[in-house]
């Protein structure tokens, strides 16, 4: 698990080096190595030699030292000298490992398994026939970005993939068509893509919209919004910083234009340290306008932009853009302004060709070229829209996360998210692609280009390149953005390869209507309403939806919002029961399912358990694979792992009472935590959030393997509940979570002392441990409070500042909570008071005296008090330094007082 987790993380952070990322954007793709491990793990038999089972498994996945040596390319001597971490760092991604290539490895594998295979595909086929009587068929009804079907087909499995979302369907199909193309097909696609780039480049050059009079070519354009400041009467450019390139020391400076009541924007290259420092102060700070000083107003006041927006146009607010709008109207709240262009020039230095770059302020000629873009676009708008080369669809606003586009910007149609230049380039690309020799294979390319060319693309002042639209799954408008010249799109070309692959059947279909029998179902279901896939996919469908149905007859270009599985309530639960009941029906008696789940909400885990239970499935194993292993040093409360739930048909099960189930759950949770803690010796470190997830999965193993007297899962799932009302299964999992919390002892604290502490004492000490990892998010403390049943936890927190929250120190607590409150009367509260007194008086005698007089039967409690005070003395956060020092003094004095 440690090795698989490290490889999963390595793949997740490889950026464009990942195979599928280059094909197109999707959210939450699972690592290919994790999918491959799941399929092989489901097929490999468990023998009476578990050590050899693991050795074979690692060799097939490329995780053992022999395979790692092959992947690293190191010499034998260097490999022996290097650490495991260095070996993995220098090796290629495990997803690119095609299996053992040497005869000795296959002899070892075949000898152990009793097979006769010399490739992964041969082995998978042989194991499938042995287990299921036929070649294994893998299915995924939530294929999304296509990880499961892609890897399954590469392993030689017959594969069925479906998704309700047409963008997911196109991505899954494109993965196969581009990366597993026959050599002749690959040459055709590459030639077509090369022709598209050259043709678009030729047309842009002919239009003259990227070249200046000196023959230089622009490759980046920096834009900002402008807003009228009512106090100064100036039109103010908006940006959080005016640093353009920290590496090249380029900044923008605002120069007041008193005549026109606006600011000229001057671009300064080779800026001085003082200019760089001044440029860091932008005109937008915490969503407030901070205008520069003017002669008439030397100290202008900051104003919330939301307030200015509400007051705009005599309180009418932001004007809604019309279908025909391409730029802001003169009286709109926000104007759009090009303020910097980066020019490139090819020169020879000796015999070497070098690209010179320069950042320059906008000239009249630049503005003329932008006007030319608008003119060219307007001429082609009607025709391009009719052919599906440009968006014309309105933006559907269905929840609060989407209202910012029309409400804060006035944008009502998808094309409003692009400047005329961006629309012109994307429209031209779509037109040229459609007449290329590979229009179907290159269909998704315009969506990829649109993702890298919208008004959401920030300018990275670290890499000096534009970012992409979807840096997260929430489309939040920005006040300054960047646009690419055609040359910067060159790096976005679609990858191709000729990897071997079995057949892949991709369908657009509701998961509830799947009709293909599969031996193994691997699914990554929608996590309630965490990501609005159907809304985000509309961004892409706006660009190629019309052409999608032409190239894929029988498909549709509608995200099917009404049918999408989303939400957390009764309708969602009913739909999920339908899905998994159907998949259970479509698998053989000895078939398997693997469900990947990551959500932290205990209520959703309870619902998932009942969904699987009501669908005729039981959890037989649960594995947590960490995908954020490098973050282990910080120990953040974020979920770092994906839980893989292994499911089989329930069959006949025993009926138990809930107290019997709870007893079994306690045993299972304790065993699960011990197993995971053992893995720490292999290099894994788990966050508390990961351990909590594992306990939820352990609880599901017990719950789904029995019937529970008096509980009908289908009835409970479809029951409408009042706010805060728990289902019986939710209550059981909460109790399992509390069992886990009792096991999660802060490092360095005596286990016997931990067992004797109350709920809020445990919460406080565990909270101190999170603070040593620089974790101060409210959500982390909320999760801890649930696990410890510490309902009054907020009384122990210091004053909150923004999202920064922490526990009170001993001194900050003072005399609060001595008589009443969550810690009143506890040994920990008295120890904190003694530390406070020691620091206050500078001598430990006052602290010792407090403990002796205030703690009942102190002689019997003295050892525990010493352990608590010693633990407090080891606190390292800056706000604890003084109190920790006082605790050390107090501990020494308390030890001596007993001599």
């Amino acid at each position: 698990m440690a090795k698989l987790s490290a490889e999963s993380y390595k793949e997740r952070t490889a950026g464009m080096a990942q195979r599928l990322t280059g094909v197109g954007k999707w959210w939450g793709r699972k690592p290919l190595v994790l999918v491959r491990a799941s399929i092989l793990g489901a097929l490999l038999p468990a023998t009476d030699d578990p050590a050899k089972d693991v050795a074979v498994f690692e060799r097939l996945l490329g995780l053992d030292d022999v395979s790692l040596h092959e992947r690293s390319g190191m010499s034998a001597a260097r490999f022996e000298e290097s650490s495991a971490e260095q070996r993995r760092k220098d090796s290629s991604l495990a997803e690119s490992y095609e299996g053992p290539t040497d005869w000795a490895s296959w002899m070892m594998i075949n000898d152990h398994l009793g097979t006769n295979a010399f490739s992964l595909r041969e082995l998978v086929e042989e194991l499938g026939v042995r287990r299921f009587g036929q070649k294994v068929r893998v299915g995924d009804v939530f294929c999304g970005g296509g990880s499961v079907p892609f890897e399954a087909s590469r392993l030689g499995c017959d594969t069925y993939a479906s998704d309700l979302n047409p963008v997911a369907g196109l991505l899954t199909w494109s993965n196969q068509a581009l990366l597993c193309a026959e050599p002749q097909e690959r040459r055709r696609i590459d030639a077509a893509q090369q022709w598209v780039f050259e043709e678009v480049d030729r047309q842009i050059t002919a239009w003259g919209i990227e070249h200046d009079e000196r023959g230089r070519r622009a490759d980046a354009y920096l834009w900002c919004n402008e807003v009228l400041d009512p106090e100064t009467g100036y039109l103010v450019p908006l940006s959080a910083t005016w640093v353009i390139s920290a590496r090249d020391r380029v900044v923008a400076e605002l120069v007041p234009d008193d005549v026109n009541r606006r600011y000229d924007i001057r671009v300064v290259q080779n800026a001085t340290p003082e200019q760089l420092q001044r440029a860091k102060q932008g005109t937008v700070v915490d969503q407030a306008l901070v205008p520069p000083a003017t002669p008439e107003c030397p100290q202008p006041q900051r104003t919330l932009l939301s307030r200015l927006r509400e007051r705009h146009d005599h309180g009418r607010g932001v004007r809604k853009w019309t279908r025909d709008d391409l730029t802001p109207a003169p009286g709109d709240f926000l104007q759009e302004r090009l303020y910097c262009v980066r020019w490139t020039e090819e020169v020879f230095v000796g015999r070497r060709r070098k690209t010179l770059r320069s950042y320059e302020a906008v000239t009249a000629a630049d503005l003329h070229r932008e006007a030319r873009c608008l003119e060219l676009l307007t001429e082609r708008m009607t025709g391009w829209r009719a052919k599906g080369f440009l968006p014309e669809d309105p933006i559907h606003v269905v929840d609060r996360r989407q209202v910012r586009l029309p409400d804060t910007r006035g944008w009502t149609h998808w094309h409003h998210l692009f400047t005329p230049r961006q629309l012109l380039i994307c429209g031209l690309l779509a037109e040229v692609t459609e007449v290329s020799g590979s229009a179907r294979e290159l269909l998704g390319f315009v969506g990829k280009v649109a993702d890298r060319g919208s008004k959401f693309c920030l300018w990275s002042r670290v890499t000096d390149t534009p970012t992409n639209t979807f840096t997260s799954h929430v489309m939040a408008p920005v006040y300054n953005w960047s646009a690419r010249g055609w040359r910067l799109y060159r790096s976005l070309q679609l990858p191709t390869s000729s990897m071997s692959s079995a057949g892949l059947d991709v369908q657009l279909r509701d998961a509830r209507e799947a009709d293909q029998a599969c031996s193994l179902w691997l699914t990554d279901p929608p996590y309630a309403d965490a990501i609005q896939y159907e809304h985000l996919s509309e961004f892409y469908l706006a660009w190629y939806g019309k052409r999608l149905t032409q190239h894929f007859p029988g498909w549709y270009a509608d995200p099917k919002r009404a049918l999408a599985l989303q939400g957390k309530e009764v309708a969602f639960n009913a739909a999920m029961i339908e899905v998994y009941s159907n998949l259970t029906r479509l698998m053989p008696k000895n078939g398997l399912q693997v469900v990947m789940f990551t959500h932290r909400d205990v209520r959703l885990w309870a619902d998932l358990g009942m969904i699987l239970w009501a669908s005729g499935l039981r959890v037989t194993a649960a594995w947590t694979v960490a995908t954020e292993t490098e973050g282990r040093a910080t120990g953040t409360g974020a979920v770092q792992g994906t839980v893989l739930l292994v499911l089989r048909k329930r069959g006949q099960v025993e009926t138990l009472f809930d107290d019997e189930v709870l007893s079994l759950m306690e045993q299972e949770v304790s065993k699960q935590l011990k197993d995971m803690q053992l893995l720490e010796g292999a290099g894994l470190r788990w966050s508390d959030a990961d351990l909590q997830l594992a306990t939820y999965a352990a609880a599901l193993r017990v719950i789904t393997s029995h019937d529970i007297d008096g509980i009908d899962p289908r009835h409970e799932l479809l029951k409408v509940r009042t706010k805060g009302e728990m289902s019986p299964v939710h209550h059981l999992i909460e109790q399992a979570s509390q069992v886990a919390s009792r096991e999660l002892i802060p490092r360095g604290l005596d286990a016997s002392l931990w067992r004797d502490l109350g709920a809020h004492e445990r919460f406080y000490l565990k909270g101190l441990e999170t603070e040593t990892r620089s974790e101060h998010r409210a959500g982390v403390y909320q999760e801890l409070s649930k696990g410890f049943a510490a309902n009054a936890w907020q009384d122990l927190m210091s004053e909150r500042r923004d999202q920064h929250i922490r526990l009170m120190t001993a001194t900050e607590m003072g005399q609060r909570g001595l008589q009443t409150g969550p810690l009143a009367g506890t040994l920990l509260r008295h120890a904190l008071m003694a530390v406070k007194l020691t620091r206050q008086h500078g001598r430990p005698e006052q602290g010792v005296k407090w403990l002796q007089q205030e703690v009942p039967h102190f002689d019997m409690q003295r050892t525990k008090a010493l352990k608590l005070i010693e633990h407090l003395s080891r606190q390292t956060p800056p706000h604890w330094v003084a109190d920790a020092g006082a605790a050390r003094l107090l501990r020494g004095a308390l030890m001596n007082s007993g001599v």
Side-chain angles (χ1 to χ4, degrees), residues 1-3 677-685:
M1 297 304 295
K3 293 177 181 178
Q677 287 161 357
L678 281 175
L679 289 175
E680 292 194 354
L684 273 179
R685 291 287 296 278

Side-chain angles (χ1 to χ4, degrees), residues 146 166 179 184 186 396 446 483 492 589 679 694 804 844 873:
L179 301 176
Q184 184 176 350
R186 183 185 181 188
H396 292 100
V446 70
L492 302 181
K589 187 175 181 180
L679 289 175
H804 190 281
S873 72

Side-chain angles (χ1 to χ4, degrees), residues 301-521:
Q301 299 296 312
R302 69 167 57 191
T303 311
L304 284 174
L305 284 161
S306 58
R307 188 169 299 171
L308 290 178
R309 188 165 56 241
E310 291 167 1
R311 295 174 180 172
H312 180 69
D313 194 16
H314 306 288
R316 295 186 184 90
V318 174
R319 179 188 71 90
K320 298 296 189 291
W321 286 33
T322 69
R323 180 178 179 273
D324 295 327
D325 279 331
L326 296 172
T327 58
D332 278 354
F333 173 63
L334 291 176
Q335 297 298 307
E336 296 174 356
R337 178 176 180 179
L338 177 67
Y339 69 91
C340 178
V341 179
R342 185 171 71 183
W343 294 98
T344 63
E345 187 175 11
E346 303 292 331
V347 297
F348 283 94
V349 180
R351 295 183 178 180
R352 298 182 62 183
R353 191 170 185 170
K354 187 177 181 181
T355 300
L356 298 181
R357 292 177 172 176
S358 62
Y359 297 85
E360 297 180 11
V362 174
T363 65
D366 295 326
L367 296 178
H368 175 73
R369 281 184 281 271
E370 294 304 312
R372 176 65 176 155
C373 288
L374 179 59
E375 179 185 338
L376 291 166
L377 177 64
T378 304
E379 291 171 358
R380 290 158 177 77
M381 178 71 76
T382 302
W384 278 1
R385 276 179 168 171
K387 295 176 181 178
F389 300 155
L390 279 182
E392 61 177 344
D393 298 333
I395 299 170
H396 292 100
V397 178
V398 296
D399 73 9
R400 60 179 177 78
R401 288 178 289 189
Q402 299 163 27
V403 298
R404 12 181 130 184
L405 300 184
D407 283 3
T408 67
R409 293 297 188 271
W411 298 335
T412 57
H413 289 68
W414 287 110
H415 68 275
H416 295 157
L417 278 58
F418 304 86
T419 65
R421 176 182 293 277
Q422 291 170 327
L423 289 171
L424 182 65
I425 289 179
C426 287
L428 174 62
L429 173 66
E431 181 183 49
V432 173
T433 300
E434 195 60 26
V435 295
S436 72
S438 299
R440 197 181 197 212
E441 290 83 0
L442 302 182
L443 179 61
F445 185 51
V446 70
K448 186 176 178 181
V449 167
D451 177 42
R452 300 301 179 103
S454 76
K455 295 177 187 176
F456 291 79
C457 297
L458 295 168
W459 176 253
S460 171
R461 291 162 181 83
V462 177
T463 62
D464 294 342
T465 55
T467 62
N468 60 324
T469 299
F470 292 107
T471 52
S472 74
H473 61 267
V474 177
M475 298 180 70
V478 296
Y479 292 111
N480 55 304
W481 65 93
S482 54
R484 294 171 181 254
W486 179 242
R487 284 188 174 181
L488 287 189
Y489 286 114
R490 187 82 192 203
S491 62
L492 302 181
Q493 64 183 19
L494 294 172
T496 61
S497 58
S498 295
M499 291 183 286
S500 60
S501 173
L504 173 60
D505 179 17
V506 183
Q507 297 183 11
L508 294 189
R509 177 168 289 192
D510 191 323
R512 290 164 283 196
E513 298 176 356
D515 59 359
Q516 302 289 318
C518 290
S519 317
L520 174 62
W521 290 102

Side-chain angles (χ1 to χ4, degrees), residues 764-765 768 809-811 828 830-845 847-848 851 865-876 879-896:
Y764 187 87
L765 293 175
L768 289 182
T809 64
T811 299
L828 175 60
H830 287 302
L832 289 167
M833 186 63 187
V835 169
K836 182 260 182 187
L837 291 171
T838 300
R839 179 182 171 186
Q840 178 182 347
H841 296 282
R843 304 193 318 274
E845 291 81 4
V848 173
L851 292 172
L866 275 169
K867 290 177 180 178
L868 278 175
I869 293 168
E870 180 182 4
H871 188 75
L872 295 175
S873 72
R874 291 198 295 266
Q875 302 309 304
T876 57
H879 54 277
W880 256 96
V881 170
D883 280 1
R888 287 191 288 273
L889 285 176
L890 177 61
R891 178 178 176 273
L894 191 58
M895 290 180 67
N896 293 332

Side-chain angles (χ1 to χ4, degrees), residues 133 247 256 269 368 516 534 536 541 551 589 665 813 824 857 878:
R247 180 176 57 194
Q269 303 194 67
H368 175 73
Q516 302 289 318
E534 67 283 353
L536 296 171
L541 291 174
H551 290 294
K589 187 175 181 180
M665 279 188 356
M813 206 171 286
H857 311 295

Side-chain angles (χ1 to χ4, degrees), residues 522-539:
L522 262 68
T523 53
D524 182 8
Y527 302 149
D529 59 351
I531 298 178
Q532 295 277 335
Y533 289 102
E534 67 283 353
H535 171 66
L536 296 171
S537 62
E538 284 186 351
F539 175 90

Side-chain angles (χ1 to χ4, degrees), residues 45 95 103 113 159 208 235 265 317 380 403 483 515 593 687 729 744 758 780 789 791 799 819 836:
E95 65 156 77
W103 183 85
L113 298 177
T159 307
L235 198 61
I265 302 179
R380 290 158 177 77
V403 298
D515 59 359
Q593 290 197 41
S687 74
V729 173
L744 298 177
V780 175
N791 299 325
E799 183 180 354
Q819 305 302 323
K836 182 260 182 187

